[in-house]
Amino acid sequence: MAELTARLGRDVLPLLLLVAAIPAPANAVAPSQAEALLAWKASLQDDAAALSEWTQAAPVCGWRDVGFDAAGRVVTLRLRGLGLGGGLDKLNFAAFPALTELDLNGNNNLNGTIPASISRLSSLELLDLSSNGFNGSIPLEFGDLSGLVELRLYNNNLADAIPHQLSRLPKIVHFDLGSNYLTDPDYGKFSPMPTVTFMSLYHNPLNSSFPEFILKSGNITYLDLSQNTLFGPLPDSLSEKLPNLRYLNLSANGFSGRIPPSFGKLTKFEDLQIAANKLVGGVPEFLGSMTQLRNLELGENRLGGPIPPVLGWLQQLQRLDIKSAELVSSLRPELGNLINLSFLDLSMNQLCGSLPPEVARMKAMREFSISSNNLTGEIPPALFTSCPELISFQVQNNTITGKIPPELAKARKLNIMYLFGNNLTGSIPAELGELENLERMDLSSNLLIGRIPNSIGNLKQLTRLKLFFNLLTGKIPPEIGNMTALQILDVNINRLEGELPATISALRNLQFLDVFDNNMGGTIPPDLGNCLALQVVRFTNNSFSGELPRNLCDGFALKALSVNHNKLTGQLPRLLVEPAVHGPIPQRLLR
């Protein structure tokens, strides 16, 4: 009997070992994992019921945004953009030894401190807590996450020094701590990070010279240190130490001196942003060798000097921003070679001469701004027939002459058109009524004559119409009532005549109505007060007669009313004579 028992034991034991080695089915989730997730859920605010499937009654393998491996272990938690509130302190990280991804990014409202116990996620490869409200310090224990490849903590309220322990993560590739309140670490304790290719520390109060450890992290291709208070010269060794750099953003810091000529060796550059610093020495000629550049932003520096013709060699360039850089130059015709350029901003410099006809070759142009310079000559009509994607055209505050080209109406996608502060003559082209997508138009402070065209009533998306300080005559067309999105109508200091059209009362969104210093007369439409959004009304220096509209102030939004030097009679609106009922009278209403 003893021999039989021994023989059975020898036969059964291998079978038991074999059964133990078979992986559990995916729906056989360890109870501790389900319990840990349910305990955490109970601590969260879930107004949208995004985690309603997380219940004891439902199979755990069907829970939303929870991923499992073949052994039934939780390996991913991807709860992006679910509007969850609460914190992480109730989540038992020790229950998830196989977790590789924890992603809570985007449109969540998680807050509180980040628990150091996250370091118990020994298999973690991706940690994304971005765009939440986490505060306090980054736990030093994050340095123990030896498998971490991606660390994303941007757009939180994290503070204190960046832990030097993070620099010892052996596999880290993506390192993003941007948009927090982090301060300088002890850089002497920071190690090089040779595995990192993406590094972002933007929008923190870092206050030092260019961090040396970055120059020792030689595989970086994307580097963003913008919106800090870094200072000193740009490192001349950058091209040698980071030869694979393709994206560099150092904007909005305090870097000074010249842009190093050695930057010209970075021929793989696709994006160079060093705007809003204290750089001098002109726009470098060596930029012409960076033929892969898509984006170049040098504005808000004290560069001075001309626009170098070599910028025309950058055939791949899509965005060029050198605004407010003290440039003294003409607009180079070589810029017309930038056939892929969609954004150009050279405003607030000392550019002179005329707009070269070559700008019409920029057929991909969407946003064009050369405002606040000393440019002369006429606006090339071909610019609008050749650039069908144009959405913003801003040439204000120059000394441009000639007429507004009717061809401007060919840019049918135009959204913003600013021509104010020039010496434009002639009439307002009726063709402008074809710009049905236009939202803002400012033709003020020119020498325009003639009537406001009736076709302007077609601009039903327009919110701002500014025609003041011109020589316009005739009446405000009744079609103005069709412009139902209009918020600002400013035609002051012209030679307009006739009555305010009754249709103006249909403009329910109108906030500012300025017609002062004209030759207008007649009665004011009695139902003008139906424009309940009105904040500013100025009728001064006209010949309006009759009574002010009784309901003019009924929206309680009116802040300024100027009606002096007219021929008005009768009673004041109710708000002005019944302050005890309607509240105190704003002083500006009494003028």
PDB file of all heavy atoms in Angstrom, residues 466-494:
ATOM      1  N   LYS A 466     -14.376  99.282 -38.924  1.00  0.00           N
ATOM      2  CA  LYS A 466     -13.800 100.568 -38.535  1.00  0.00           C
ATOM      3  C   LYS A 466     -13.407 101.344 -39.792  1.00  0.00           C
ATOM      4  O   LYS A 466     -12.515 100.910 -40.541  1.00  0.00           O
ATOM      5  CB  LYS A 466     -12.580 100.358 -37.639  1.00  0.00           C
ATOM      6  CG  LYS A 466     -12.919  99.686 -36.314  1.00  0.00           C
ATOM      7  CD  LYS A 466     -11.710  99.615 -35.390  1.00  0.00           C
ATOM      8  CE  LYS A 466     -12.074  99.001 -34.051  1.00  0.00           C
ATOM      9  NZ  LYS A 466     -10.927  98.981 -33.114  1.00  0.00           N
ATOM     10  N   LEU A 467     -14.105 102.472 -39.995  1.00  0.00           N
ATOM     11  CA  LEU A 467     -13.873 103.314 -41.170  1.00  0.00           C
ATOM     12  C   LEU A 467     -13.582 104.755 -40.751  1.00  0.00           C
ATOM     13  O   LEU A 467     -13.601 105.662 -41.582  1.00  0.00           O
ATOM     14  CB  LEU A 467     -15.113 103.298 -42.079  1.00  0.00           C
ATOM     15  CG  LEU A 467     -15.609 101.924 -42.538  1.00  0.00           C
ATOM     16  CD1 LEU A 467     -16.907 102.069 -43.327  1.00  0.00           C
ATOM     17  CD2 LEU A 467     -14.555 101.215 -43.363  1.00  0.00           C
ATOM     18  N   PHE A 468     -13.290 104.989 -39.493  1.00  0.00           N
ATOM     19  CA  PHE A 468     -13.171 106.348 -38.979  1.00  0.00           C
ATOM     20  C   PHE A 468     -11.956 107.079 -39.547  1.00  0.00           C
ATOM     21  O   PHE A 468     -11.008 106.475 -40.038  1.00  0.00           O
ATOM     22  CB  PHE A 468     -13.140 106.359 -37.445  1.00  0.00           C
ATOM     23  CG  PHE A 468     -11.948 105.673 -36.822  1.00  0.00           C
ATOM     24  CD1 PHE A 468     -10.756 106.336 -36.619  1.00  0.00           C
ATOM     25  CD2 PHE A 468     -12.051 104.355 -36.398  1.00  0.00           C
ATOM     26  CE1 PHE A 468      -9.672 105.719 -36.030  1.00  0.00           C
ATOM     27  CE2 PHE A 468     -10.974 103.713 -35.803  1.00  0.00           C
ATOM     28  CZ  PHE A 468      -9.784 104.399 -35.619  1.00  0.00           C
ATOM     29  N   PHE A 469     -12.034 108.403 -39.464  1.00  0.00           N
ATOM     30  CA  PHE A 469     -10.951 109.304 -39.869  1.00  0.00           C
ATOM     31  C   PHE A 469     -10.581 109.118 -41.342  1.00  0.00           C
ATOM     32  O   PHE A 469      -9.462 108.833 -41.712  1.00  0.00           O
ATOM     33  CB  PHE A 469      -9.727 109.118 -38.979  1.00  0.00           C
ATOM     34  CG  PHE A 469      -8.841 110.337 -38.905  1.00  0.00           C
ATOM     35  CD1 PHE A 469      -9.321 111.600 -39.209  1.00  0.00           C
ATOM     36  CD2 PHE A 469      -7.524 110.220 -38.534  1.00  0.00           C
ATOM     37  CE1 PHE A 469      -8.510 112.723 -39.146  1.00  0.00           C
ATOM     38  CE2 PHE A 469      -6.687 111.334 -38.475  1.00  0.00           C
ATOM     39  CZ  PHE A 469      -7.198 112.594 -38.780  1.00  0.00           C
ATOM     40  N   ASN A 470     -11.623 109.247 -42.191  1.00  0.00           N
ATOM     41  CA  ASN A 470     -11.450 109.259 -43.631  1.00  0.00           C
ATOM     42  C   ASN A 470     -12.234 110.450 -44.188  1.00  0.00           C
ATOM     43  O   ASN A 470     -12.559 111.396 -43.443  1.00  0.00           O
ATOM     44  CB  ASN A 470     -11.945 107.940 -44.238  1.00  0.00           C
ATOM     45  CG  ASN A 470     -10.898 106.843 -44.178  1.00  0.00           C
ATOM     46  OD1 ASN A 470      -9.895 106.895 -44.883  1.00  0.00           O
ATOM     47  ND2 ASN A 470     -11.123 105.841 -43.325  1.00  0.00           N
ATOM     48  N   LEU A 471     -12.543 110.427 -45.476  1.00  0.00           N
ATOM     49  CA  LEU A 471     -13.288 111.504 -46.132  1.00  0.00           C
ATOM     50  C   LEU A 471     -14.554 110.952 -46.771  1.00  0.00           C
ATOM     51  O   LEU A 471     -14.996 111.415 -47.828  1.00  0.00           O
ATOM     52  CB  LEU A 471     -12.405 112.190 -47.187  1.00  0.00           C
ATOM     53  CG  LEU A 471     -11.066 112.746 -46.681  1.00  0.00           C
ATOM     54  CD1 LEU A 471     -10.189 113.192 -47.851  1.00  0.00           C
ATOM     55  CD2 LEU A 471     -11.300 113.918 -45.729  1.00  0.00           C
ATOM     56  N   LEU A 472     -15.156 109.948 -46.139  1.00  0.00           N
ATOM     57  CA  LEU A 472     -16.311 109.269 -46.705  1.00  0.00           C
ATOM     58  C   LEU A 472     -17.541 110.172 -46.688  1.00  0.00           C
ATOM     59  O   LEU A 472     -17.742 110.972 -45.767  1.00  0.00           O
ATOM     60  CB  LEU A 472     -16.599 107.993 -45.915  1.00  0.00           C
ATOM     61  CG  LEU A 472     -15.479 106.940 -45.929  1.00  0.00           C
ATOM     62  CD1 LEU A 472     -15.812 105.796 -44.988  1.00  0.00           C
ATOM     63  CD2 LEU A 472     -15.229 106.418 -47.345  1.00  0.00           C
ATOM     64  N   THR A 473     -18.374 110.027 -47.718  1.00  0.00           N
ATOM     65  CA  THR A 473     -19.595 110.831 -47.861  1.00  0.00           C
ATOM     66  C   THR A 473     -20.789 109.903 -48.041  1.00  0.00           C
ATOM     67  O   THR A 473     -20.669 108.680 -48.051  1.00  0.00           O
ATOM     68  CB  THR A 473     -19.476 111.772 -49.059  1.00  0.00           C
ATOM     69  OG1 THR A 473     -19.174 111.003 -50.240  1.00  0.00           O
ATOM     70  CG2 THR A 473     -18.367 112.796 -48.848  1.00  0.00           C
ATOM     71  N   GLY A 474     -21.980 110.513 -48.205  1.00  0.00           N
ATOM     72  CA  GLY A 474     -23.190 109.729 -48.404  1.00  0.00           C
ATOM     73  C   GLY A 474     -23.727 109.192 -47.093  1.00  0.00           C
ATOM     74  O   GLY A 474     -23.342 109.616 -46.001  1.00  0.00           O
ATOM     75  N   LYS A 475     -24.649 108.235 -47.209  1.00  0.00           N
ATOM     76  CA  LYS A 475     -25.328 107.684 -46.047  1.00  0.00           C
ATOM     77  C   LYS A 475     -24.751 106.326 -45.655  1.00  0.00           C
ATOM     78  O   LYS A 475     -24.135 105.642 -46.473  1.00  0.00           O
ATOM     79  CB  LYS A 475     -26.819 107.519 -46.358  1.00  0.00           C
ATOM     80  CG  LYS A 475     -27.552 108.805 -46.688  1.00  0.00           C
ATOM     81  CD  LYS A 475     -29.016 108.507 -46.987  1.00  0.00           C
ATOM     82  CE  LYS A 475     -29.774 109.796 -47.310  1.00  0.00           C
ATOM     83  NZ  LYS A 475     -31.208 109.518 -47.584  1.00  0.00           N
ATOM     84  N   ILE A 476     -24.974 105.979 -44.401  1.00  0.00           N
ATOM     85  CA  ILE A 476     -24.710 104.604 -43.986  1.00  0.00           C
ATOM     86  C   ILE A 476     -25.770 103.729 -44.656  1.00  0.00           C
ATOM     87  O   ILE A 476     -26.970 103.962 -44.481  1.00  0.00           O
ATOM     88  CB  ILE A 476     -24.784 104.466 -42.454  1.00  0.00           C
ATOM     89  CG1 ILE A 476     -23.692 105.299 -41.787  1.00  0.00           C
ATOM     90  CG2 ILE A 476     -24.649 102.999 -42.037  1.00  0.00           C
ATOM     91  CD1 ILE A 476     -23.739 105.294 -40.272  1.00  0.00           C
ATOM     92  N   PRO A 477     -25.374 102.754 -45.449  1.00  0.00           N
ATOM     93  CA  PRO A 477     -26.372 101.991 -46.219  1.00  0.00           C
ATOM     94  C   PRO A 477     -27.283 101.178 -45.309  1.00  0.00           C
ATOM     95  O   PRO A 477     -26.843 100.640 -44.279  1.00  0.00           O
ATOM     96  CB  PRO A 477     -25.511 101.092 -47.115  1.00  0.00           C
ATOM     97  CG  PRO A 477     -24.207 100.981 -46.413  1.00  0.00           C
ATOM     98  CD  PRO A 477     -23.999 102.288 -45.708  1.00  0.00           C
ATOM     99  N   PRO A 478     -28.557 101.053 -45.662  1.00  0.00           N
ATOM    100  CA  PRO A 478     -29.493 100.267 -44.831  1.00  0.00           C
ATOM    101  C   PRO A 478     -29.114  98.802 -44.745  1.00  0.00           C
ATOM    102  O   PRO A 478     -29.501  98.107 -43.804  1.00  0.00           O
ATOM    103  CB  PRO A 478     -30.833 100.460 -45.537  1.00  0.00           C
ATOM    104  CG  PRO A 478     -30.505 100.898 -46.930  1.00  0.00           C
ATOM    105  CD  PRO A 478     -29.213 101.658 -46.831  1.00  0.00           C
ATOM    106  N   GLU A 479     -28.330  98.318 -45.720  1.00  0.00           N
ATOM    107  CA  GLU A 479     -27.897  96.908 -45.697  1.00  0.00           C
ATOM    108  C   GLU A 479     -27.037  96.588 -44.479  1.00  0.00           C
ATOM    109  O   GLU A 479     -26.772  95.408 -44.198  1.00  0.00           O
ATOM    110  CB  GLU A 479     -27.123  96.582 -46.972  1.00  0.00           C
ATOM    111  CG  GLU A 479     -27.972  96.491 -48.227  1.00  0.00           C
ATOM    112  CD  GLU A 479     -28.298  97.854 -48.834  1.00  0.00           C
ATOM    113  OE1 GLU A 479     -27.826  98.886 -48.278  1.00  0.00           O
ATOM    114  OE2 GLU A 479     -29.007  97.897 -49.855  1.00  0.00           O
ATOM    115  N   ILE A 480     -26.637  97.622 -43.731  1.00  0.00           N
ATOM    116  CA  ILE A 480     -25.854  97.406 -42.526  1.00  0.00           C
ATOM    117  C   ILE A 480     -26.606  96.487 -41.558  1.00  0.00           C
ATOM    118  O   ILE A 480     -26.007  95.746 -40.775  1.00  0.00           O
ATOM    119  CB  ILE A 480     -25.519  98.760 -41.849  1.00  0.00           C
ATOM    120  CG1 ILE A 480     -24.298  98.632 -40.931  1.00  0.00           C
ATOM    121  CG2 ILE A 480     -26.697  99.305 -41.074  1.00  0.00           C
ATOM    122  CD1 ILE A 480     -22.997  98.862 -41.597  1.00  0.00           C
ATOM    123  N   GLY A 481     -27.936  96.498 -41.636  1.00  0.00           N
ATOM    124  CA  GLY A 481     -28.754  95.672 -40.751  1.00  0.00           C
ATOM    125  C   GLY A 481     -28.608  94.195 -40.990  1.00  0.00           C
ATOM    126  O   GLY A 481     -29.032  93.380 -40.149  1.00  0.00           O
ATOM    127  N   ASN A 482     -28.022  93.807 -42.130  1.00  0.00           N
ATOM    128  CA  ASN A 482     -27.798  92.387 -42.418  1.00  0.00           C
ATOM    129  C   ASN A 482     -26.575  91.834 -41.696  1.00  0.00           C
ATOM    130  O   ASN A 482     -26.387  90.616 -41.640  1.00  0.00           O
ATOM    131  CB  ASN A 482     -27.624  92.172 -43.926  1.00  0.00           C
ATOM    132  CG  ASN A 482     -28.850  92.554 -44.719  1.00  0.00           C
ATOM    133  OD1 ASN A 482     -29.971  92.451 -44.219  1.00  0.00           O
ATOM    134  ND2 ASN A 482     -28.656  93.003 -45.962  1.00  0.00           N
ATOM    135  N   MET A 483     -25.740  92.708 -41.155  1.00  0.00           N
ATOM    136  CA  MET A 483     -24.466  92.297 -40.562  1.00  0.00           C
ATOM    137  C   MET A 483     -24.709  91.920 -39.095  1.00  0.00           C
ATOM    138  O   MET A 483     -24.264  92.590 -38.167  1.00  0.00           O
ATOM    139  CB  MET A 483     -23.449  93.419 -40.707  1.00  0.00           C
ATOM    140  CG  MET A 483     -23.249  93.837 -42.168  1.00  0.00           C
ATOM    141  SD  MET A 483     -22.285  95.353 -42.376  1.00  0.00           S
ATOM    142  CE  MET A 483     -20.673  94.805 -41.834  1.00  0.00           C
ATOM    143  N   THR A 484     -25.380  90.819 -38.892  1.00  0.00           N
ATOM    144  CA  THR A 484     -25.909  90.475 -37.576  1.00  0.00           C
ATOM    145  C   THR A 484     -24.829  90.110 -36.561  1.00  0.00           C
ATOM    146  O   THR A 484     -25.111  90.046 -35.363  1.00  0.00           O
ATOM    147  CB  THR A 484     -26.897  89.315 -37.704  1.00  0.00           C
ATOM    148  OG1 THR A 484     -26.278  88.247 -38.444  1.00  0.00           O
ATOM    149  CG2 THR A 484     -28.149  89.766 -38.436  1.00  0.00           C
ATOM    150  N   ALA A 485     -23.609  89.847 -36.994  1.00  0.00           N
ATOM    151  CA  ALA A 485     -22.524  89.533 -36.050  1.00  0.00           C
ATOM    152  C   ALA A 485     -21.791  90.786 -35.579  1.00  0.00           C
ATOM    153  O   ALA A 485     -20.932  90.704 -34.698  1.00  0.00           O
ATOM    154  CB  ALA A 485     -21.527  88.571 -36.700  1.00  0.00           C
ATOM    155  N   LEU A 486     -22.142  91.949 -36.137  1.00  0.00           N
ATOM    156  CA  LEU A 486     -21.372  93.177 -35.899  1.00  0.00           C
ATOM    157  C   LEU A 486     -21.407  93.584 -34.427  1.00  0.00           C
ATOM    158  O   LEU A 486     -22.470  93.675 -33.814  1.00  0.00           O
ATOM    159  CB  LEU A 486     -21.924  94.308 -36.768  1.00  0.00           C
ATOM    160  CG  LEU A 486     -20.982  95.487 -37.045  1.00  0.00           C
ATOM    161  CD1 LEU A 486     -19.739  95.028 -37.790  1.00  0.00           C
ATOM    162  CD2 LEU A 486     -21.709  96.572 -37.828  1.00  0.00           C
ATOM    163  N   GLN A 487     -20.227  93.833 -33.878  1.00  0.00           N
ATOM    164  CA  GLN A 487     -20.075  94.302 -32.501  1.00  0.00           C
ATOM    165  C   GLN A 487     -19.581  95.745 -32.440  1.00  0.00           C
ATOM    166  O   GLN A 487     -19.915  96.472 -31.507  1.00  0.00           O
ATOM    167  CB  GLN A 487     -19.098  93.403 -31.736  1.00  0.00           C
ATOM    168  CG  GLN A 487     -19.539  91.958 -31.624  1.00  0.00           C
ATOM    169  CD  GLN A 487     -18.465  91.078 -31.022  1.00  0.00           C
ATOM    170  OE1 GLN A 487     -17.450  91.553 -30.504  1.00  0.00           O
ATOM    171  NE2 GLN A 487     -18.675  89.770 -31.071  1.00  0.00           N
ATOM    172  N   ILE A 488     -18.777  96.153 -33.421  1.00  0.00           N
ATOM    173  CA  ILE A 488     -18.196  97.503 -33.442  1.00  0.00           C
ATOM    174  C   ILE A 488     -18.485  98.138 -34.795  1.00  0.00           C
ATOM    175  O   ILE A 488     -18.114  97.580 -35.834  1.00  0.00           O
ATOM    176  CB  ILE A 488     -16.673  97.464 -33.207  1.00  0.00           C
ATOM    177  CG1 ILE A 488     -16.365  96.881 -31.821  1.00  0.00           C
ATOM    178  CG2 ILE A 488     -16.073  98.858 -33.337  1.00  0.00           C
ATOM    179  CD1 ILE A 488     -14.871  96.699 -31.556  1.00  0.00           C
ATOM    180  N   LEU A 489     -19.143  99.311 -34.787  1.00  0.00           N
ATOM    181  CA  LEU A 489     -19.338 100.130 -35.977  1.00  0.00           C
ATOM    182  C   LEU A 489     -18.794 101.515 -35.653  1.00  0.00           C
ATOM    183  O   LEU A 489     -19.379 102.244 -34.854  1.00  0.00           O
ATOM    184  CB  LEU A 489     -20.810 100.204 -36.363  1.00  0.00           C
ATOM    185  CG  LEU A 489     -21.148 101.157 -37.525  1.00  0.00           C
ATOM    186  CD1 LEU A 489     -20.401 100.748 -38.793  1.00  0.00           C
ATOM    187  CD2 LEU A 489     -22.654 101.204 -37.767  1.00  0.00           C
ATOM    188  N   ASP A 490     -17.673 101.850 -36.266  1.00  0.00           N
ATOM    189  CA  ASP A 490     -17.006 103.121 -35.965  1.00  0.00           C
ATOM    190  C   ASP A 490     -16.743 103.850 -37.271  1.00  0.00           C
ATOM    191  O   ASP A 490     -15.889 103.458 -38.059  1.00  0.00           O
ATOM    192  CB  ASP A 490     -15.693 102.858 -35.231  1.00  0.00           C
ATOM    193  CG  ASP A 490     -15.100 104.138 -34.627  1.00  0.00           C
ATOM    194  OD1 ASP A 490     -15.534 105.232 -35.031  1.00  0.00           O
ATOM    195  OD2 ASP A 490     -14.214 104.032 -33.761  1.00  0.00           O
ATOM    196  N   VAL A 491     -17.528 104.933 -37.503  1.00  0.00           N
ATOM    197  CA  VAL A 491     -17.383 105.739 -38.725  1.00  0.00           C
ATOM    198  C   VAL A 491     -17.153 107.204 -38.368  1.00  0.00           C
ATOM    199  O   VAL A 491     -17.440 108.089 -39.173  1.00  0.00           O
ATOM    200  CB  VAL A 491     -18.623 105.579 -39.633  1.00  0.00           C
ATOM    201  CG1 VAL A 491     -18.750 104.151 -40.146  1.00  0.00           C
ATOM    202  CG2 VAL A 491     -19.892 106.005 -38.892  1.00  0.00           C
ATOM    203  N   ASN A 492     -16.624 107.469 -37.172  1.00  0.00           N
ATOM    204  CA  ASN A 492     -16.479 108.863 -36.748  1.00  0.00           C
ATOM    205  C   ASN A 492     -15.471 109.625 -37.605  1.00  0.00           C
ATOM    206  O   ASN A 492     -14.610 109.042 -38.269  1.00  0.00           O
ATOM    207  CB  ASN A 492     -16.106 108.931 -35.260  1.00  0.00           C
ATOM    208  CG  ASN A 492     -14.686 108.499 -34.978  1.00  0.00           C
ATOM    209  OD1 ASN A 492     -13.722 109.211 -35.242  1.00  0.00           O
ATOM    210  ND2 ASN A 492     -14.530 107.290 -34.423  1.00  0.00           N
ATOM    211  N   ILE A 493     -15.582 110.943 -37.581  1.00  0.00           N
ATOM    212  CA  ILE A 493     -14.701 111.882 -38.295  1.00  0.00           C
ATOM    213  C   ILE A 493     -14.658 111.553 -39.789  1.00  0.00           C
ATOM    214  O   ILE A 493     -13.638 111.165 -40.351  1.00  0.00           O
ATOM    215  CB  ILE A 493     -13.281 111.929 -37.696  1.00  0.00           C
ATOM    216  CG1 ILE A 493     -13.356 112.053 -36.165  1.00  0.00           C
ATOM    217  CG2 ILE A 493     -12.493 113.104 -38.262  1.00  0.00           C
ATOM    218  CD1 ILE A 493     -12.010 112.091 -35.472  1.00  0.00           C
ATOM    219  N   ASN A 494     -15.817 111.645 -40.429  1.00  0.00           N
ATOM    220  CA  ASN A 494     -15.957 111.557 -41.868  1.00  0.00           C
ATOM    221  C   ASN A 494     -16.881 112.689 -42.316  1.00  0.00           C
ATOM    222  O   ASN A 494     -17.042 113.685 -41.594  1.00  0.00           O
ATOM    223  CB  ASN A 494     -16.515 110.183 -42.263  1.00  0.00           C
ATOM    224  CG  ASN A 494     -15.446 109.109 -42.345  1.00  0.00           C
ATOM    225  OD1 ASN A 494     -14.659 109.087 -43.279  1.00  0.00           O
ATOM    226  ND2 ASN A 494     -15.425 108.205 -41.360  1.00  0.00           N
TER     227      ASN A 494
END
